[in-house]
Amino acid sequence: MEGTDTGTTDTGTTKAARRGPPLLAAVAVAYAVVQLCCAVAHMDLGWDESVYLSQVDPRNPAAYFSAPRSRGISFLVAPVVALTPSVTTLRVTLALLSSAALYGAFRIWEPLAGRARTALAAALFAGLWITVLSGPEVMPNLWIAFAATAATGCFLRTRAPADTRAPADPRTPADTRTPTGSRNLAGLAASLAAAALLRAPDAVWLALPMLAACAAVRDRRALHTAAVVLGGLAAGGAQWAAEAWVRFGGVTQRLADSSATEGGMGAHPGAGLSAARRSLNGPQLCRPCHIANPSLTHSLWWLLLPVLAAAACALALRTGGRARAVTLLPVACALSLAAPYLLLLDYSAPRFLLPSYALLALPVAGLAAGAVTRLHTGPPRWAAAAALCALLAAHLWVQQGELRANAADARDTTVRYRRAAEGLQRLGLSAPCLVTGPRAQPVAYAAGCASAQTRGNNRSTTEAALARAAHRVPTAVLQDPADGRLPPFARTWHPHPLPGTGGWTAYLP
């Protein structure tokens, strides 16, 4: 990845490069439209969303914030939550912001990969059902994907502007130069800082291939770039590290607590890969993951993804020059980001691999577009382009079906939370109040109450402390038919079935 200073200035693409159909902008607009039509309407808040929102909501008590979480997504939505409690407003705002972030993150790649290839990569990523469903959700994984895409592009534009520029798109003029200088360094630092703020461990995994690339070059520019990478991590991770010392007794202890919350992070390669395959098309959290594998037609793209990425790398190595770094670095970063979720956990969720999908879409799009452009003009090229469009249409059709199914599942689950909260309010529970038991966090947030747990991943208190609190504030214990256990202090309380929740019961004194 050795780079040479071409003497170009940070002025962006030429006027000729800006002419032509705004392909990437069209993809971003389509992404926004699909979100607004399919993922926003009638979706209440999910479990994790209620935790992140409660941290910055001035109207509700903050839920317990466990060690693995980071506060970046809470900071992102804080201005909206401060202005209005409307969930619909929040969803629409996030849908528009995520579409703009998709455009901004992939726009960095246009001088590196060409306009058509970049737009195709964005379409491949935005067309996934989990990408659409995550757009309006208060969850960090999609935003880490955008930050990772932007950081990798800025790194390449900073390190090797001459070698990595690849205007293979015929519409991109040959004299287009990749911008260099302080703006790309600032973009690299800001993107890594955003990733660290959103999820500090993921940002470290993202930065490892970049630091390795700098170490392989060993020149002054490499040292400068490595310093920027480390500076971005430090700036974004400072809040996480400070909270680790204040709340958990240090960074090492927070990592240990995070591992315990995740069920004990360790070598689980078989279980992690199996869980990722099983949860490919939902549910949104597969823990424990004992469901059947998805059908081949609905998982073929996932099985082919590593094969296509490997083929793109092999072609780039054979081609050499600028294509090598543009292909190898995003693949390396994608593998690094996926490693903890595929190898160290024994459960999975589709959103975990969103950053890897975003990065792998770039070399895959380059491989597909390159196969078309290498053909001679005329019928062969048109036939190859038509076949590529047909494959993309079939893939998007499958993803649209999965989107409808998972959006309906998410809607049913979140509606149950809201109905449980409404049931508690009808029973007279009002702030200040306390809710405990299974699913207490999202139900308590919807009811305007505090939440507490005595067991599980969100354990934040003891049964004795809860018993004392029940004498001071109105308290409810939720019970799920699948979990008949009640704390001793609530066994003499009165049960109240909560209609529309699938059999949940609230116990009140």
Side-chain angles (χ1 to χ4, degrees), residues 56-76:
V56 292
D57 190 342
R59 306 165 195 86
N60 290 296
Y64 174 69
F65 204 75
S66 60
R69 301 186 187 274
S70 296
R71 297 185 181 271
I73 192 66
S74 299
F75 297 153
L76 178 67

Side-chain angles (χ1 to χ4, degrees), residues 32 52 88 90-91 105 142 172 192 334 381 414 456 469 480:
Y52 287 119
T88 302
L90 177 67
R91 298 284 190 217
L142 178 65
T172 304
L192 286 170
R381 177 176 290 184
T414 56
D480 190 314

Side-chain angles (χ1 to χ4, degrees), residues 118-360:
T118 303
L120 177 58
L124 289 173
F125 177 61
L128 297 175
W129 72 264
I130 186 59
T131 307
V132 177
L133 199 59
S134 298
E137 288 186 330
V138 188
M139 298 292 287
N141 307 84
L142 178 65
W143 297 91
I144 296 172
F146 294 144
T149 304
T152 310
C154 287
F155 181 90
L156 287 170
R157 288 169 63 160
T158 298
R159 280 296 307 143
D163 288 344
T164 61
R165 182 177 57 84
D169 185 348
R171 299 189 188 95
T172 304
D175 63 347
T176 300
R177 293 292 182 264
T178 305
T180 61
S182 59
R183 187 156 64 179
N184 283 319
L185 289 172
L188 174 61
S191 300
L192 286 170
L197 195 60
L198 288 160
R199 194 165 179 84
D202 284 10
V204 175
W205 287 100
L206 169 63
L208 289 178
M210 299 181 189
L211 295 174
C214 291
V217 176
R218 296 182 182 178
D219 61 12
R220 181 171 296 180
R221 286 184 60 199
L223 290 175
H224 189 194
T225 305
V228 171
V229 170
L230 294 174
L233 289 178
Q239 188 279 329
W240 183 92
E243 184 177 11
W245 284 102
V246 172
R247 293 186 56 212
F248 300 97
V251 171
T252 303
Q253 186 59 48
R254 181 169 191 175
L255 291 174
D257 290 350
S258 297
S259 176
T261 301
E262 302 290 2
M265 295 185 71
H268 302 292
L273 285 167
S274 175
R277 168 81 190 283
R278 293 172 187 272
S279 65
L280 176 63
N281 294 320
Q284 290 199 63
L285 179 63
C286 198
R287 184 180 188 181
C289 202
H290 299 318
I291 61 176
N293 284 320
S295 65
L296 182 62
T297 55
H298 285 224
S299 61
L300 183 60
W301 71 270
W302 194 79
L303 298 173
L304 287 177
L305 186 59
V307 177
L308 295 174
C313 290
L315 181 61
L317 288 172
R318 189 176 67 180
T319 303
R322 62 197 181 190
R324 183 170 53 187
V326 170
T327 302
L328 296 183
L329 184 65
V331 171
C333 290
L335 293 176
S336 183
L337 282 163
Y341 295 106
L342 295 179
L343 304 179
L344 302 181
L345 295 179
D346 60 358
Y347 71 97
S348 188
R351 65 179 182 271
F352 288 170
L353 298 181
L354 276 171
S356 297
Y357 295 154
L359 289 168
L360 290 177

Side-chain angles (χ1 to χ4, degrees), residues 60-64 420-421 424-425 427-454 458 460-478 487 489-490 493 506-509:
N60 290 296
Y64 174 69
L424 292 178
Q425 291 171 336
L427 292 171
L429 209 68
S430 60
C433 47
L434 178 65
V435 181
T436 187
R439 300 172 181 83
Q441 287 176 307
V443 174
Y445 181 77
C449 300
S451 61
Q453 296 285 19
T454 59
N458 296 293
S460 58
T461 188
T462 63
E463 291 184 353
L466 270 182
R468 291 192 297 269
H471 290 289
R472 299 193 304 269
V473 296
T475 302
V477 176
L478 294 179
F489 64 84
W493 290 9
Y507 284 79
L508 278 74

